[in-house]
Amino acid sequence: NSGKGKIGDKILYPGAFDTGVSPADAKATLHKFIPFKISKEFTNVVDCALAAPLNEFLPSLKSEIKSWGLPKGVIKPKRGMKVVKVGRTTGKTTSVITDVNFRTMMDYKKKGLKDIRFKDQIWCEKRYTMPGDSGSLIIDKASGKISKAGRSFAKASDYDAMGPQARFVNCP
């Protein structure tokens, strides 16, 4: 819900965009998120949330990324790093990191918010994500480790941005 969610909100799978309906398709609840800071400064570093699976779905969970397997740890992102992600819309695609200190402003007006400014983002060459891929973990292709760049959340006509998931996972 991009800044409008509340702890305990139902998470659907498939999502509402993919014909999911509440409460029948509720598989988890919103567990944790970092609220946006509305500012003229570039202060935000993530747009993500963590969900807690409902107890009845715990036995069916798999600790792997479809078409990839288990990640082998974490690695710091760097320019020139070849990365892979597996997204809901585009499946398994690859790209190359071109910047590790990118600033961007995302338009959240359609969601009832203002422009949100992000800093310390990771920029990849070529568009390799599409709507529905948001949240995909970004993995270093060579080592199989999760890039601390983290997960895809924004796209432009020619490039994709990733947020630093390590900062989110370690948040208070």
Side-chain angles (χ1 to χ4, degrees):
N1 287 340
S2 293
K4 294 185 170 185
K6 295 175 186 64
I7 301 299
D9 281 356
K10 297 206 180 313
I11 307 297
L12 306 180
Y13 184 80
F17 187 77
D18 296 319
T19 70
V21 293
S22 184
D25 293 314
K27 303 291 191 273
T29 58
L30 180 59
H31 175 71
K32 185 178 184 180
F33 68 95
I34 296 177
F36 292 139
K37 295 174 188 159
I38 309 296
S39 170
K40 292 187 180 198
E41 302 297 319
F42 289 87
T43 56
N44 296 282
V45 293
V46 293
D47 174 7
C48 62
L50 293 176
L54 298 175
N55 287 335
E56 60 265 33
F57 297 106
L58 287 173
S60 63
L61 291 179
K62 294 181 181 175
S63 299
E64 65 183 27
I65 298 171
K66 185 179 178 181
S67 303
W68 182 263
L70 288 172
K72 299 173 183 157
V74 295
I75 190 169
K76 184 177 179 178
K78 61 184 177 186
R79 284 188 176 112
M81 179 184 281
K82 293 178 182 171
V83 293
V84 64
K85 70 101 194 90
V86 180
R88 189 269 285 157
T89 304
T90 59
K92 187 175 178 181
T93 56
T94 61
S95 190
V96 177
I97 293 175
T98 57
D99 192 351
V100 293
N101 293 302
F102 185 75
R103 289 180 176 209
T104 188
M105 184 170 62
M106 301 301 299
D107 181 359
Y108 285 82
K109 290 182 207 126
K110 290 180 183 175
K111 297 183 181 198
L113 300 171
K114 298 182 179 187
D115 290 332
I116 307 294
R117 291 166 174 83
F118 293 89
K119 65 179 182 176
D120 300 332
Q121 300 302 293
I122 310 304
W123 206 242
C124 284
E125 69 180 26
K126 81 173 185 169
R127 184 174 183 170
Y128 76 120
T129 65
M130 297 292 289
D133 288 342
S134 295
S136 302
L137 289 176
I138 309 303
I139 299 174
D140 173 39
K141 193 171 181 181
S143 69
K145 294 181 179 181
I146 297 172
S147 166
K148 285 189 179 179
R151 34 141 227 90
S152 176
F153 84 97
K155 61 216 145 300
S157 59
D158 297 319
Y159 297 91
D160 285 293
M162 299 182 275
Q165 64 77 298
R167 290 190 183 185
F168 179 74
V169 173
N170 295 325
C171 74

